[in-house]
């Protein structure tokens, strides 16, 4: 999302009165020009990894409500969403590919858990608790091996399809468990 001057604004802060924290947002619809907020001029796809789409999709403010939030307006988001999807496809193509047998197993597990969530919610929660324990143990072993083999964090980030900072946090979370 860009302003009329071509700059990308920082987060919008919401004054909710006193307190130790002030909520903020970088969602496109927060930049509606109301309450002293910046007003978006152009939408574009973006990602938390730092990627920004090249294509720009102008907002036609003459067709948008003046005093209503943008999320209530009929704004066509198909362009930025498609650009973001294309970006994710490129990222996915660069990640470690899971073996078909594992992909099938995970897909089937999620399907069965989704089905059981309505019929047997306590069973699903128990299964998820057991999985969390197993995931923590296996994740610890895998993260330890990566550290022991001195695999560069850039390689880990690429394999996971994330930023180096996120990969570092991901590894740290398993090493601390």
């Amino acid at each position: 999302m860009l302003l009329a001057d071509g700059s990308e604004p920082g987060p919008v802060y919401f004054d909710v009165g006193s307190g130790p924290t002030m909520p903020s947002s970088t969602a496109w619809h927060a930049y509606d020009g109301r309450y002293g907020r910046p007003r978006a001029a152009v939408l574009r796809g973006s990602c938390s990894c730092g990627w920004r789409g090249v294509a720009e999709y102008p907002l036609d403010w003459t067709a948008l409500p003046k005093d209503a939030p943008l999320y209530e307006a009929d704004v066509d988001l198909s362009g930025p969403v498609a650009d973001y999807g294309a970006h994710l496809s490129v990222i996915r193509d660069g990640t470690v590919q899971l073996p078909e047998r594992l992909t099938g197993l995970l897909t089937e597990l999620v399907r069965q858990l989704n089905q059981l969530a309505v019929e047997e919610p306590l069973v699903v929660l128990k299964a998820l608790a057991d999985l969390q324990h197993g995931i923590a143990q296996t994740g610890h072993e895998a993260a330890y091996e990566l550290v022991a083999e001195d695999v560069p964090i850039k390689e880990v980030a690429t394999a996971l399809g994330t930023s180096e900072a996120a990969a570092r946090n991901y590894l740290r979370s398993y090493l601390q468990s």
Side-chain angles (χ1 to χ4, degrees):
M1 195 263 318
L2 300 173
L3 302 178
D5 66 2
S7 66
E8 186 173 323
V12 168
Y13 292 93
F14 303 99
D15 186 3
V16 293
S18 64
T21 60
M22 186 171 291
S24 66
S25 176
T26 55
W28 69 272
H29 53 76
Y31 300 90
D32 57 10
R34 299 179 326 139
Y35 311 116
R37 299 178 200 154
R39 187 168 150 172
V42 172
L43 298 178
R44 67 177 176 179
S46 65
C47 182
S48 61
C49 75
W51 171 86
R52 298 297 182 258
V54 177
E56 296 181 353
Y57 305 91
L59 282 169
D60 180 7
W61 282 98
T62 61
L64 296 173
K66 298 210 184 307
D67 289 330
L70 272 177
Y71 61 82
E72 292 179 358
D74 186 23
V75 176
D76 180 11
L77 299 175
S78 60
V81 169
D83 295 345
Y84 177 68
H87 165 69
L88 289 183
S89 291
V90 170
I91 298 297
R92 270 190 226 102
D93 289 346
T95 64
V96 169
Q97 299 300 307
L98 298 177
E100 182 58 41
R101 68 181 194 281
L102 185 55
T103 303
L105 180 66
L106 291 173
T107 301
E108 179 60 18
L109 176 62
V110 169
R111 188 191 67 71
Q112 287 190 30
L113 289 172
N114 282 334
Q115 183 179 352
L116 279 172
V118 174
E119 300 165 9
E120 300 278 352
L122 288 175
V123 169
V124 171
L125 288 179
K126 172 64 169 123
L128 292 173
D130 290 352
L131 277 171
Q132 270 185 318
H133 179 72
I135 288 168
Q137 285 182 317
T138 305
H140 179 81
E141 292 170 14
Y144 181 79
E145 285 300 317
L146 289 171
V147 170
E149 293 175 14
D150 203 24
V151 176
I153 196 66
K154 182 174 183 153
E155 186 177 330
V156 174
T158 300
L160 297 176
T162 192
S163 68
E164 290 183 29
R168 198 172 286 109
N169 287 336
Y170 192 69
L171 283 176
R172 191 177 303 121
S173 73
Y174 281 117
L175 292 171
Q176 293 174 348
S177 60

